[in-house]
Amino acid sequence: MAEFINLYLIPGIAIGCIYALGAVGISLVFAILRFAHFAHGDVMTLGAYIAYSLVAAFGWSVYAALPFALLGGAIACVAIDRTVYRPFRRAPGIIVVIASFGVMLVLRSAIQLGWGVDVLAYETGIRRPLPLFGDIRMAQKHIIIIAVSIAIAAALHWFLSSSRMGKAMRAMSDDADLARVSGIDTERVVRWTWLIGGGLAAAAGIFAGINTKLHPGIGWDLLLPLFAAAILGGIGRPYGAIVGGLSIGIAQEVATYPWIGGDPLVPPAYKNAVAFFVMVAMLVWRPTGLFKGRVL
Amino acid sequence: MDITLYGLMMYGLALLTMMAIYGVLCLALNLQWGFAGLFNAGIAGFFAVGAYATAILTAPESPNHLGGYGWPPLLALPVAMALAGIIAWPVGRICLGLKGDYLAMATIGIAEIIRLVFKNESWLANGTMGISTVPRPFESLGQPWGNLAFLALVLAIVIALYFSAERAWVSPWGRAMRAIRDNETAAAAIGKDVVRFRLEAFVLGAMVMGLGGGLSAMYFKFIGATATEPLLTTFLVWVMLIIGGSGNNKGALLGAALVWLIWSGTELFTNRLPAEWITRSSYIRTLLIGVLLIVVLQRFAKGVLPERPPKRID
C-alpha cells in the first residue's frame, strides 16, 4: 500500500497539478477566444527555459526564478496575441488554430536556437524523499509542486470569483457580443486571459522540468494530456480543467501499477495513451465534460 | 556526361520526387480541409501507418522487426492505404458529429499513439532504429534510370489523384461536401447526411495520406522514428496547403512544390554556413516556415491560387 501511494499516487497528483495548470489556460482561452490553442505546450516550454536561464545566470534556485518566468510566459502570450492572433478575431475559429500551429513552430525553433537541444536540469544530484508519516514518503519536488499549485489555484479562484475582471471574463465567456454591448472592454479581457493562461503555462512548464528533465519537446509531449484534461473537465470551465488535470495525471500514473500479475498494467511508455482513451471516452459519452462545458 | 551536370540532374530528380510525394499528401489534406472543412492535425499518424505497412510487407526478412513477406511494392500500397483508412474510420465516427476543434485534438492524439507504438514496439518495426531495407520499385534499373522511373511512377499517381480530385470537386459529391462545409444546418435541412459525407472525406483523405507514407518509405528505402515526428509531415503539409490555396487542387500541388523548394533551397544555403551554425540551420528553417505560415494566414489567407466558385450555369 505504501509503495502504491509513494510511487504511483503521489507522483500522479504532482503530474496532475502540472496538467491542471496547463489545462486551465487552454480552457480559459477556449472560453474567451473560442479556439483550441495548440501552441500552449510550447508556451510551457518557453516558461521552463526562461526559468533555466535565470537559474544558470544568477545561480538562483528554480523556485526563486518561478515568479519571473511566470511573468515572462504571461508577457510572451500577450505579445503573441497582439502580433499573431488579434487579426483573426472575426475570422472562423479554425483559422486561428492553424495560426497557432505557426506559433508553435516559431516558439519551438526559437527555443532550439536559443538554448540548444540538449537535455538540461535545474539542479543536479539526488534528494532523498522526506518521510511524512509511517511508510509514506514524498519527494521534496512533489511537495513543492503540489503546494505551489494549490496556492496558484486558490489565487485563480479568488480572481475569477471576486474580482471585476474575473466577472467580466465570465460574462464574455457566456456571450461575447452581449458583454461588448454592456460596455466591457473585451480586448482588456482578452489581455487578462492571456496573462493568466501564459503565466499558468509557464508554471506548468517549470514544474514539468523539475519533475523530469528539461528539453525542447517537453511542452509538446504534454499537449495531448492537456487537451484530454480540458475536455474531461468541460471545455471553457477552468475549475473543470483543474479536476480534469488531476484525474488524468493520477489515472496515467496509477494505470502503470501492476494491478494484475507482476507487470505494469499499462507500460509506462504508453501513459499518454491513457489520456487519449479518457479523451475519446468523454467525446463518445459526454462531450460537455464532467462540468457541463461548452460543446463547440 | 559532365559530373556536375549529372549531379545537378540527380538533385533535380530528388527535388521533383519529394515535391510529388508532398503533392500526394497535400491533395489528401485538401480533400479533408478544402472540400469538407475537416481539421486533421494528425497527418503524421496516417502517413506513418502507410509507411510502416509498406515497409513491413515489402522489406526482406530481418531478426530486428516483423517482415519477410516479400510483397511486391505496388501490391503493398493498397494495403497501406486500407490500413490508414481503417484507423481513420473510428476516429472520424467519434469526432465528426462534433465540431472542428475536437477532430483536431483527437487526430493529434491518434498520431501520438501511433508514434508511441512504432517507437516502443521494437519487434514490430525495430523501434527508433527503423526499417532500412525497404525496396524501391525500379531500383534494379540503376541510377539514373531507376530514379527516373520511380519519379514517373509517383508523378503518375499524383496526376491520377489530381484528375480524380478535380472530377470530385465538380461532382454532386463535391458540391454536397462544400455545402456541408459552408453551412452544415442548411445542408442537413435539404437531406444531406452530414456525418456520412464528412466520414467519407476523412477516411478517403487518410487513405491517400497512407499512400503518401508508403511512397515516402519506398523512396527513402527507410522508415524510422523521425518520419513519425509531426514537423515534416503534419505541419509542413498544412503550410503547403495554406500557402498554395486550400480548396483548389492546383493550389495544393503548387503549395507542395513551392514550399518544398523553399525548404530544400534554404538547406543549400545553410549548408554553406560556418560549422557551428549548420546544426542549427534546420531550426532556422522551421522558424522561417512558421513565420511564413502566420504571415500568409494574416495577409493572403486564400493562398496563391484561391478557391474558385464553380462556374455559373446559365
Side-chain angles (χ1 to χ4, degrees), chain A residues 83-84 94 104 112-113 270, chain B residues 33 121 235 280 283 298:
Chain A
T83 50
V84 181
I94 210 84
M104 181 156 87
Q112 285 165 331
L113 275 173
Y270 288 107
Chain B
W33 171 248
E121 302 299 320
F235 299 131
R280 300 196 162 186
Y283 312 128
Q298 285 183 345

Side-chain angles (χ1 to χ4, degrees), chain A residues 36 38 83-84 94 98-99 101 104 106 109 112-113 117 220 224 227 269-270 273 276 279-280 283 287 294 296, chain B residues 33 39 94 101-102 104-106 108-110 112-113 117 120-121 230-231 235 238 280 283 287 291 293 297-298:
Chain A
F38 272 73
T83 50
V84 181
I94 210 84
I98 306 177
F101 270 30
M104 181 156 87
V106 170
S109 48
Q112 285 165 331
L113 275 173
V117 291
W220 165 260
L224 174 57
F227 281 139
Y270 288 107
F276 178 71
M279 178 163 103
V280 167
L283 289 183
R294 205 182 298 283
L296 301 173
Chain B
W33 171 248
F39 191 95
I94 291 167
D101 301 51
Y102 284 118
M105 294 187 235
I108 217 164
I110 194 87
E112 178 72 6
I113 305 292
V117 169
N120 292 305
E121 302 299 320
L231 173 64
F235 299 131
W238 266 106
R280 300 196 162 186
Y283 312 128
L287 190 84
V291 172
L293 176 62
L297 272 176
Q298 285 183 345

